[in-house]
Amino acid sequence: MNYHNITTDDMRNGDGLRTVLWVAGCDHHCDGCQNPITWNPNGGIYFGYAAEQELFYHLYKKHISGVTFSGGDPLLPENRVTIFHLAKYIKQYIPGKTVWIYTGYLWEEVKDLPGMRWVDVLVDGEFKQELADVKYHWAGSTNQRVIDVQKSLAEGRVILKED
């Protein structure tokens, strides 16, 4: 998997102060995308051991609420193994941190992926420029859902995250 950046102390991509991993690769190519530079899965740089350690270093900081995987699309099929490996490690070894994923895929397309058990919140659906709303909490367009993954898996239906 390739990535473009790791940012920290981010307040726009999930609740609290977050560390964000901006992955490479997206097959949705939404009109009005804020990060079209991340569409090419071969763009950016390889996400190797040093990048993984940088990500974990930031997540061990007490003031960081968790990680957000964005991009590109973290759930692009060729990104899934790495993303779910990271999510599992974080949930097992960095307690109290939340895992958020922004994806263009719908919940119904990804809910059965084994790695979803390590995810707290999924913002699903392609960005639709005609539905863009800067006041819509945690998502770019009103067709996107901010899903409480664990409650949704337990109940077998979409449960939206409460603020």
Side-chain angles (χ1 to χ4, degrees):
M1 179 184 86
N2 283 5
Y3 78 108
H4 283 270
N5 199 6
I6 297 172
T7 58
T8 194
D9 297 334
D10 181 291
M11 296 185 302
R12 294 180 173 219
N13 294 285
D15 58 2
L17 288 174
R18 309 192 66 74
T19 296
V20 182
L21 175 62
W22 302 93
V23 304
C26 183
D27 57 5
H28 304 290
H29 301 186
C30 303
D31 286 334
C33 173
Q34 68 175 357
N35 293 318
I37 194 169
T38 65
W39 291 354
N40 181 350
N42 298 315
I45 56 176
Y46 177 71
F47 187 83
Y49 180 77
E52 183 177 76
Q53 294 308 302
E54 178 185 349
L55 179 71
F56 295 154
Y57 168 78
H58 291 297
L59 288 171
Y60 276 109
K61 295 177 181 177
K62 290 184 182 193
H63 71 279
I64 296 294
S65 300
V67 67
T68 298
F69 299 116
S70 192
D73 194 325
L75 295 185
L76 185 72
E78 49 264 52
N79 291 341
R80 292 174 184 177
V81 168
T82 302
I83 292 299
F84 289 139
H85 158 77
L86 295 169
K88 180 180 180 181
Y89 180 92
I90 291 161
K91 296 309 278 185
Q92 288 183 329
Y93 298 107
I94 314 177
K97 305 298 180 175
T98 58
V99 174
W100 284 51
I101 294 179
Y102 281 77
T103 183
Y105 296 100
L106 295 174
W107 167 255
E108 293 76 12
E109 298 172 291
V110 299
K111 66 182 174 68
D112 295 324
L113 295 173
M116 292 304 289
R117 68 178 161 223
W118 307 111
V119 178
D120 296 294
V121 176
L122 182 80
V123 181
D124 81 334
E126 294 183 6
F127 172 76
K128 303 281 185 191
Q129 191 160 354
E130 66 275 11
L131 299 174
D133 184 348
V134 295
K135 296 178 187 171
Y136 188 53
H137 206 46
W138 304 129
S141 58
T142 57
N143 63 297
Q144 296 172 309
R145 299 173 291 183
V146 182
I147 299 169
D148 184 317
V149 172
Q150 297 310 307
K151 285 183 181 178
S152 297
L153 290 173
E155 295 195 25
R157 63 186 180 91
V158 172
I159 306 292
L160 299 180
K161 179 182 175 356
E162 298 175 8
D163 288 334

